[in-house]
Amino acid sequence: MGLFKKIAEALRKTREAFRRKLDALFSHGELNDEFYEELEDILISSDVGVESAMEICEELRTRARKEKLRTAEDVRGLLKEIIEEDMQAENDFKIEYPAVITIVGVNGVGKTTSIGKLANYFKNQKKDVCLVAGDTFRAAASEQLSEWAARNKVRVIKHEEGADAAAVVFDGITSAKARKTDVLIVDTAGRLHTKTNLMEELGKINRVIEREYPEANKYTFIVLDATTGQNALSQIEHFNEYVDLDGIILTKLDGTAKGGVVITISREYNLPVVFIGVGEGINDLEEFNAKDFADNLF
C-alpha cells in the first residue's frame, strides 16, 4: 500500500464523519450566521477544540468577505486552505544527527510499539540506531523493547527491572558516543501526572542527556492516542510542566473519527505532529504531512 493510500485509510473514519456533515452544510447555499454556527459545531464534533473551531470560523468569515465569496460551496476550498496553512506552520520539522530522542507518554498509548516503528523508520533512512530501555518500572518492558530491537536488528541497552532509569540512559549515551550512533531512542516509563516521582524522573533523565551528550541534537516526543481525542490535550499540558516537548507521535489514527484533534494540537500548542501511526505493521509509522492530512479530510 502506498503512502498516500495509507494516510487515506488511516483517516477514513474521520473523513467519512466530517465530509458527511460538511456536504449537508454546504448544500444550504447561503453564507450567513447560521452557516458559521453550524460549521463551528461540526468542527467541534470532529474533535477540533472549541477555541480552535471559533478561530477557524472567524478567519473563514473574514477571508470570505474579503474575497467576496457568496455561497457555502465557494468556501469549501478556503476552509481546507486555512486548516492546511495552520498545520503547515507548525509541522516543518527536521531531525538532525546525532539525535537523542526521548519518548514519553501515559500507559497504553503505544510508546514501545512506536519506538519499534521509529527504529525501523531510521533504519530505512540508513541510520545506525540504538534503543535504551529506560522503562525500568513496568514488568517486562525491557523484554518487549528487546524484541523490537531484535526485529529491527539494532542494539539495545538495558538494566534489571527496578534499576535507576537515568543510569540506563547514561550507559546508552556512553555506547552511542563510542559507536558513533546516529539515533539513540530512549524509552521511558508510562506515567500519569499524579505519579510525581516518575514525572521527576523525566527531568533527571533529561539532565543526564544534557550533561553527558551536549553535542547531540535532543528531542522529546510525546506519544498520544488519537482515539482519546481532546483528552490527549491535557497530557500535553501535564508533561510540558516537567519536560520541554518538541513534537508528537500520534498513534491509532486509523481507529478513530476524532482526527480533528490534530488541528487543535497545531493551533493551540504550537507543537508539530512529527509522526502518525497509520496501521499496526512495522512500516505503519509515517512522517506527518499537513497537505496530505487536509487533502484526506475534504
Side-chain angles (χ1 to χ4, degrees):
M1 187 184 291
L3 171 58
F4 191 84
K5 286 184 178 178
K6 281 186 177 182
I7 294 173
E9 182 58 27
L11 283 169
R12 182 176 56 82
K13 290 184 179 180
T14 297
R15 180 176 61 251
E16 288 176 354
F18 193 54
R19 278 186 182 173
R20 186 171 61 250
K21 295 169 185 175
L22 283 184
D23 287 344
L25 174 61
F26 287 137
S27 68
H28 291 182
E30 200 175 345
L31 283 179
N32 52 28
D33 289 343
E34 184 181 346
F35 168 85
Y36 289 107
E37 287 172 8
E38 193 169 338
L39 176 59
E40 193 177 298
D41 289 341
I42 290 171
L43 290 171
I44 292 169
S45 71
S46 298
D47 244 48
V48 177
V50 174
E51 184 178 339
S52 291
M54 291 171 65
E55 289 174 355
I56 289 169
C57 288
E58 189 54 41
E59 184 176 352
L60 184 67
R61 189 196 296 260
T62 300
R63 288 175 61 172
R65 279 201 202 110
K66 187 176 180 180
E67 297 177 26
K68 296 182 169 55
L69 302 181
R70 302 293 182 192
T71 69
E73 189 58 40
D74 289 338
V75 302
R76 184 191 286 265
L78 183 56
L79 176 61
K80 175 184 170 183
E81 189 178 312
I82 288 170
I83 288 173
E84 183 181 331
E85 286 172 357
D86 286 341
M87 292 188 298
Q88 192 67 58
E90 299 302 334
N91 282 280
D92 186 16
F93 191 93
K94 298 295 180 188
I95 294 173
E96 297 182 353
Y97 307 96
V100 179
I101 302 174
T102 304
I103 305 298
V104 303
V106 302
N107 291 315
V109 293
K111 277 193 295 85
T112 308
T113 300
S114 293
I115 290 171
K117 292 178 180 180
L118 267 182
N120 176 70
Y121 168 85
F122 287 116
K123 283 273 289 185
N124 288 339
Q125 302 284 322
K126 309 300 182 187
K127 302 299 181 185
D128 182 62
V129 181
C130 179
L131 307 183
V132 177
D135 181 358
T136 58
F137 185 76
R138 179 171 63 90
S142 63
E143 284 79 2
Q144 186 182 358
L145 197 69
S146 295
E147 289 173 10
W148 278 108
R151 194 171 170 187
N152 284 296
K153 297 180 180 172
V154 301
R155 303 191 327 277
V156 60
I157 307 298
K158 60 182 180 178
H159 287 190
E160 296 297 318
E161 183 183 327
D164 180 6
V168 189
V169 174
F170 178 90
D171 285 353
I173 291 170
T174 302
S175 173
K177 290 166 74 173
R179 301 280 289 269
K180 299 191 184 308
T181 301
D182 297 308
V183 186
L184 189 69
I185 307 175
V186 180
D187 190 14
T188 63
R191 61 202 74 204
L192 297 171
H193 64 284
T194 52
K195 299 286 186 182
T196 306
N197 61 321
L198 287 178
M199 294 301 283
E200 289 175 347
E201 181 184 79
L202 287 180
K204 185 178 178 183
I205 288 171
N206 271 354
R207 288 192 295 275
V208 168
I209 296 170
E210 290 281 355
R211 185 184 70 234
E212 300 299 328
Y213 207 179
E215 65 271 33
N217 299 283
K218 292 165 277 292
Y219 307 96
T220 301
F221 294 159
I222 184 171
V223 179
L224 299 176
D225 180 343
T227 64
T228 64
Q230 292 291 303
N231 289 334
L233 302 180
S234 63
Q235 294 168 26
I236 295 174
E237 293 175 3
H238 292 312
F239 276 86
N240 248 337
E241 291 176 10
Y242 290 86
V243 291
D244 293 327
L245 298 174
D246 297 296
I248 290 163
I249 299 174
L250 194 64
T251 66
K252 306 178 189 177
L253 191 60
D254 55 316
T256 182
K258 298 180 177 182
V261 71
V262 175
I263 299 167
T264 306
I265 289 168
S266 294
R267 287 189 70 102
E268 296 184 17
Y269 291 91
N270 299 321
L271 272 178
V273 176
V274 184
F275 294 98
I276 55 171
V278 294
E280 296 181 1
I282 193 170
N283 291 304
D284 291 334
L285 189 77
E286 302 291 349
E287 290 183 59
F288 179 81
N289 182 284
K291 186 177 187 305
D292 287 348
F293 181 86
D295 284 346
N296 279 284
L297 270 186
F298 290 89

